[in-house]
Amino acid sequence: MPRGLGALAVLGAAFLVLPPAALVWRAPWGSTLHRLADPATLEALRLSLVSASSATALSLVLGVPLAWFLARSAARRVRLLRALVTVPLVLPPVVGGVALLLLLGRRGLLGQYLDAWFGVQIPFTTLAVVLAEAFVAMPFLVVSVEGALRGLDRRFEDAAATLGAGAWYTARRVVLPAVAPGLAAGTALCFARALGEFGATITFAGSLPGTTRTMPLAIYLALQSDPAAAITLSLVLLVASVVVLVALRERWVPGLRP
């Protein structure tokens, strides 16, 4: 690598690594266990893990078929659908929360009918947290799985078809095992993104203790009154995110093995 590019690489690495390092350095280690044992902290952590896991499961159920359709369809209009599907990747999360509120709120396009016909109100509930997290996190899964499907050699599927295998059998025994690394990478990124979601959650679900106050929201509130507690909570999310990525490092970084 040219010397100038090497220096820029060092600066880029420092820019990305030093902020988490500062968080670890300034963490109040002496009172960490005491702060983590606080009931409000445990409740926020439990809600974050449950909602992020639920959002990831919802993303798998809906995102994998969507990625399959995008990867295998040759229609030109699919390009527009792909662009729309990936909009949440670049959309400010707060805007996503407003959009969900206008769709599923009590006076939203669909929410008004859910309220009038079934008495269902989604905003400011735990379900709203799951939907907000899935909205911002699912595109990561879709992009990863679609890329894996596009890179798959179609001859394996053709060979399975010539041997009499049905579409579902081929999908389960040929396609899904072949794209497993991409699927695992997308799932990990989806979970990590859902775990750290803030903007869409606070806009669409609010910050109700025990119901919608996830760890990012608890960190934001603690930062205003107890910075040490905010650092401790941030450290928990940092560790959780690193654990997810390290556990699946050989799947989302090609050629890397433990």
mmCIF file of all heavy atoms in Angstrom, residues 18-29 230-236 238:
data_model
loop_
_atom_site.group_PDB
_atom_site.id
_atom_site.type_symbol
_atom_site.label_atom_id
_atom_site.label_comp_id
_atom_site.label_asym_id
_atom_site.label_seq_id
_atom_site.Cartn_x
_atom_site.Cartn_y
_atom_site.Cartn_z
ATOM 1 N N LEU A 18 -11.398 4.753 18.271
ATOM 2 C CA LEU A 18 -11.162 5.553 19.467
ATOM 3 C C LEU A 18 -12.442 5.905 20.241
ATOM 4 O O LEU A 18 -12.417 5.896 21.483
ATOM 5 C CB LEU A 18 -10.389 6.821 19.107
ATOM 6 C CG LEU A 18 -8.916 6.603 18.732
ATOM 7 C CD1 LEU A 18 -8.239 7.928 18.416
ATOM 8 C CD2 LEU A 18 -8.178 5.883 19.854
ATOM 9 N N PRO A 19 -13.564 6.233 19.580
ATOM 10 C CA PRO A 19 -14.774 6.534 20.374
ATOM 11 C C PRO A 19 -15.213 5.376 21.261
ATOM 12 O O PRO A 19 -15.449 5.587 22.467
ATOM 13 C CB PRO A 19 -15.815 6.878 19.297
ATOM 14 C CG PRO A 19 -15.015 7.428 18.179
ATOM 15 C CD PRO A 19 -13.765 6.601 18.157
ATOM 16 N N PRO A 20 -15.318 4.124 20.749
ATOM 17 C CA PRO A 20 -15.636 3.028 21.677
ATOM 18 C C PRO A 20 -14.561 2.834 22.746
ATOM 19 O O PRO A 20 -14.877 2.483 23.895
ATOM 20 C CB PRO A 20 -15.728 1.799 20.758
ATOM 21 C CG PRO A 20 -16.026 2.358 19.409
ATOM 22 C CD PRO A 20 -15.306 3.657 19.353
ATOM 23 N N ALA A 21 -13.294 3.062 22.370
ATOM 24 C CA ALA A 21 -12.223 2.937 23.357
ATOM 25 C C ALA A 21 -12.376 3.974 24.463
ATOM 26 O O ALA A 21 -12.149 3.677 25.647
ATOM 27 C CB ALA A 21 -10.861 3.090 22.674
ATOM 28 N N ALA A 22 -12.783 5.191 24.100
ATOM 29 C CA ALA A 22 -13.017 6.224 25.111
ATOM 30 C C ALA A 22 -14.163 5.829 26.036
ATOM 31 O O ALA A 22 -14.127 6.103 27.246
ATOM 32 C CB ALA A 22 -13.320 7.556 24.426
ATOM 33 N N LEU A 23 -15.179 5.180 25.471
ATOM 34 C CA LEU A 23 -16.300 4.716 26.286
ATOM 35 C C LEU A 23 -15.830 3.692 27.316
ATOM 36 O O LEU A 23 -16.217 3.749 28.494
ATOM 37 C CB LEU A 23 -17.377 4.109 25.379
ATOM 38 C CG LEU A 23 -18.621 3.541 26.070
ATOM 39 C CD1 LEU A 23 -19.378 4.640 26.792
ATOM 40 C CD2 LEU A 23 -19.513 2.867 25.048
ATOM 41 N N VAL A 24 -14.993 2.759 26.873
ATOM 42 C CA VAL A 24 -14.460 1.755 27.798
ATOM 43 C C VAL A 24 -13.557 2.398 28.840
ATOM 44 O O VAL A 24 -13.592 2.055 30.027
ATOM 45 C CB VAL A 24 -13.699 0.665 27.009
ATOM 46 C CG1 VAL A 24 -13.027 -0.317 27.944
ATOM 47 C CG2 VAL A 24 -14.651 -0.066 26.065
ATOM 48 N N TRP A 25 -12.755 3.367 28.421
ATOM 49 C CA TRP A 25 -11.810 4.024 29.323
ATOM 50 C C TRP A 25 -12.517 4.802 30.423
ATOM 51 O O TRP A 25 -12.105 4.786 31.581
ATOM 52 C CB TRP A 25 -10.897 4.946 28.519
ATOM 53 C CG TRP A 25 -9.915 5.712 29.353
ATOM 54 C CD1 TRP A 25 -10.019 6.990 29.811
ATOM 55 C CD2 TRP A 25 -8.653 5.221 29.837
ATOM 56 N NE1 TRP A 25 -8.935 7.347 30.544
ATOM 57 C CE2 TRP A 25 -8.067 6.275 30.578
ATOM 58 C CE3 TRP A 25 -7.978 4.020 29.715
ATOM 59 C CZ2 TRP A 25 -6.835 6.144 31.195
ATOM 60 C CZ3 TRP A 25 -6.742 3.890 30.326
ATOM 61 C CH2 TRP A 25 -6.191 4.943 31.054
ATOM 62 N N ARG A 26 -13.622 5.485 30.057
ATOM 63 C CA ARG A 26 -14.318 6.337 31.015
ATOM 64 C C ARG A 26 -15.413 5.605 31.786
ATOM 65 O O ARG A 26 -16.111 6.202 32.588
ATOM 66 C CB ARG A 26 -14.936 7.523 30.271
ATOM 67 C CG ARG A 26 -13.927 8.490 29.675
ATOM 68 C CD ARG A 26 -13.118 9.182 30.769
ATOM 69 N NE ARG A 26 -13.978 9.915 31.675
ATOM 70 C CZ ARG A 26 -14.377 11.172 31.476
ATOM 71 N NH1 ARG A 26 -13.979 11.820 30.388
ATOM 72 N NH2 ARG A 26 -15.151 11.780 32.345
ATOM 73 N N ALA A 27 -15.570 4.319 31.548
ATOM 74 C CA ALA A 27 -16.620 3.573 32.234
ATOM 75 C C ALA A 27 -16.354 3.530 33.732
ATOM 76 O O ALA A 27 -15.224 3.288 34.160
ATOM 77 C CB ALA A 27 -16.718 2.161 31.670
ATOM 78 N N PRO A 28 -17.372 3.775 34.560
ATOM 79 C CA PRO A 28 -17.204 3.711 36.023
ATOM 80 C C PRO A 28 -17.199 2.259 36.495
ATOM 81 O O PRO A 28 -18.190 1.751 37.025
ATOM 82 C CB PRO A 28 -18.422 4.487 36.535
ATOM 83 C CG PRO A 28 -19.469 4.278 35.487
ATOM 84 C CD PRO A 28 -18.733 4.197 34.177
ATOM 85 N N TRP A 29 -16.075 1.586 36.313
ATOM 86 C CA TRP A 29 -16.016 0.150 36.582
ATOM 87 C C TRP A 29 -16.332 -0.183 38.035
ATOM 88 O O TRP A 29 -16.894 -1.254 38.331
ATOM 89 C CB TRP A 29 -14.629 -0.381 36.218
ATOM 90 C CG TRP A 29 -14.323 -0.267 34.758
ATOM 91 C CD1 TRP A 29 -13.496 0.625 34.156
ATOM 92 C CD2 TRP A 29 -14.872 -1.073 33.714
ATOM 93 N NE1 TRP A 29 -13.488 0.444 32.798
ATOM 94 C CE2 TRP A 29 -14.328 -0.604 32.500
ATOM 95 C CE3 TRP A 29 -15.766 -2.128 33.686
ATOM 96 C CZ2 TRP A 29 -14.639 -1.153 31.272
ATOM 97 C CZ3 TRP A 29 -16.091 -2.698 32.463
ATOM 98 C CH2 TRP A 29 -15.529 -2.213 31.273
ATOM 99 N N ALA A 230 -25.372 6.529 32.136
ATOM 100 C CA ALA A 230 -25.464 6.472 30.677
ATOM 101 C C ALA A 230 -24.254 5.755 30.087
ATOM 102 O O ALA A 230 -24.387 4.976 29.135
ATOM 103 C CB ALA A 230 -25.577 7.886 30.110
ATOM 104 N N ILE A 231 -23.073 6.001 30.645
ATOM 105 C CA ILE A 231 -21.862 5.329 30.162
ATOM 106 C C ILE A 231 -21.958 3.832 30.422
ATOM 107 O O ILE A 231 -21.601 3.007 29.565
ATOM 108 C CB ILE A 231 -20.614 5.922 30.834
ATOM 109 C CG1 ILE A 231 -20.428 7.386 30.414
ATOM 110 C CG2 ILE A 231 -19.375 5.118 30.478
ATOM 111 C CD1 ILE A 231 -19.303 8.093 31.130
ATOM 112 N N THR A 232 -22.453 3.459 31.588
ATOM 113 C CA THR A 232 -22.578 2.041 31.920
ATOM 114 C C THR A 232 -23.539 1.341 30.973
ATOM 115 O O THR A 232 -23.252 0.253 30.466
ATOM 116 C CB THR A 232 -23.067 1.880 33.368
ATOM 117 O OG1 THR A 232 -22.127 2.498 34.252
ATOM 118 C CG2 THR A 232 -23.196 0.410 33.730
ATOM 119 N N LEU A 233 -24.690 1.949 30.723
ATOM 120 C CA LEU A 233 -25.672 1.360 29.813
ATOM 121 C C LEU A 233 -25.118 1.292 28.387
ATOM 122 O O LEU A 233 -25.349 0.314 27.672
ATOM 123 C CB LEU A 233 -26.963 2.165 29.841
ATOM 124 C CG LEU A 233 -27.694 2.230 31.190
ATOM 125 C CD1 LEU A 233 -28.939 3.105 31.079
ATOM 126 C CD2 LEU A 233 -28.080 0.835 31.652
ATOM 127 N N SER A 234 -24.391 2.316 27.982
ATOM 128 C CA SER A 234 -23.782 2.308 26.648
ATOM 129 C C SER A 234 -22.772 1.182 26.525
ATOM 130 O O SER A 234 -22.661 0.545 25.466
ATOM 131 C CB SER A 234 -23.097 3.656 26.374
ATOM 132 O OG SER A 234 -24.021 4.723 26.439
ATOM 133 N N LEU A 235 -22.053 0.926 27.597
ATOM 134 C CA LEU A 235 -21.065 -0.151 27.582
ATOM 135 C C LEU A 235 -21.740 -1.508 27.378
ATOM 136 O O LEU A 235 -21.212 -2.376 26.679
ATOM 137 C CB LEU A 235 -20.278 -0.137 28.885
ATOM 138 C CG LEU A 235 -19.074 -1.068 28.978
ATOM 139 C CD1 LEU A 235 -18.018 -0.660 27.961
ATOM 140 C CD2 LEU A 235 -18.491 -1.024 30.387
ATOM 141 N N VAL A 236 -22.920 -1.682 27.959
ATOM 142 C CA VAL A 236 -23.654 -2.940 27.793
ATOM 143 C C VAL A 236 -24.016 -3.159 26.331
ATOM 144 O O VAL A 236 -23.831 -4.247 25.776
ATOM 145 C CB VAL A 236 -24.923 -2.941 28.666
ATOM 146 C CG1 VAL A 236 -25.783 -4.159 28.364
ATOM 147 C CG2 VAL A 236 -24.551 -2.917 30.139
ATOM 148 N N LEU A 238 -22.547 -1.805 23.755
ATOM 149 C CA LEU A 238 -21.304 -1.989 23.008
ATOM 150 C C LEU A 238 -20.836 -3.438 23.096
ATOM 151 O O LEU A 238 -20.477 -4.062 22.081
ATOM 152 C CB LEU A 238 -20.229 -1.053 23.545
ATOM 153 C CG LEU A 238 -18.830 -1.203 22.944
ATOM 154 C CD1 LEU A 238 -18.851 -0.875 21.459
ATOM 155 C CD2 LEU A 238 -17.832 -0.316 23.677
#
